[in-house]
Amino acid sequence: MSDPRLGLTVTHRRYVPYGHAHYAGNLVDGAYVLAMFGDVATEVCIRTDGDEGLFASYSDVQFRAPVRAGDVLEATATVTRVGTRSRTLDFEARVVCRGRPDQGPSAAEVLAEPIVAVTATGTVVVPPAGA
């Protein structure tokens, strides 16, 4: 019998403020997206186990496209494995809106196709049942 927690997907969206730009071209460091993955993983743990859980490790992180200040990011976590106390999650962060400073200081657009910026696989742990 399949665990009903398998396939659970949680998504958060967040605007990337210009104050988080860290590099030339308004680039944001990768830790910004990893923090989003931590937040979405926390909600997964709350929904699956009634506890915030703890992030144990990443087994793979791929930075595929730049994230810039002015972007709207969508971070998704999907439960792919359920152990006794551990859960494996697949993560994907997509840029769904992007600032367009070339068209004006506050210009922005919704992207016709989201840009996959970061993917990862991670493991979270939760307390034993009944603890």
Side-chain angles (χ1 to χ4, degrees), residues 42-61:
T42 298
E43 184 177 343
V44 165
C45 291
I46 292 167
R47 290 184 177 279
T48 59
D49 295 280
D51 189 274
E52 291 184 356
L54 293 170
F55 212 113
S57 68
Y58 284 107
S59 58
D60 185 43
V61 177

Side-chain angles (χ1 to χ4, degrees), residues 23-94:
Y23 301 104
N26 286 322
L27 291 177
V28 175
D29 63 22
Y32 188 89
V33 176
L34 296 183
M36 282 188 72
F37 287 167
D39 290 345
V40 76
T42 298
E43 184 177 343
V44 165
C45 291
I46 292 167
R47 290 184 177 279
T48 59
D49 295 280
D51 189 274
E52 291 184 356
L54 293 170
F55 212 113
S57 68
Y58 284 107
S59 58
D60 185 43
V61 177
Q62 299 289 320
F63 297 99
R64 300 176 178 271
V67 174
R68 293 187 170 94
D71 287 349
V72 175
L73 284 179
E74 181 177 83
T76 299
T78 301
V79 179
T80 58
R81 189 192 64 76
V82 175
T84 304
R85 293 190 47 221
S86 65
R87 315 287 177 252
T88 301
L89 308 175
D90 282 349
F91 297 96
E92 186 173 84
R94 294 172 294 278

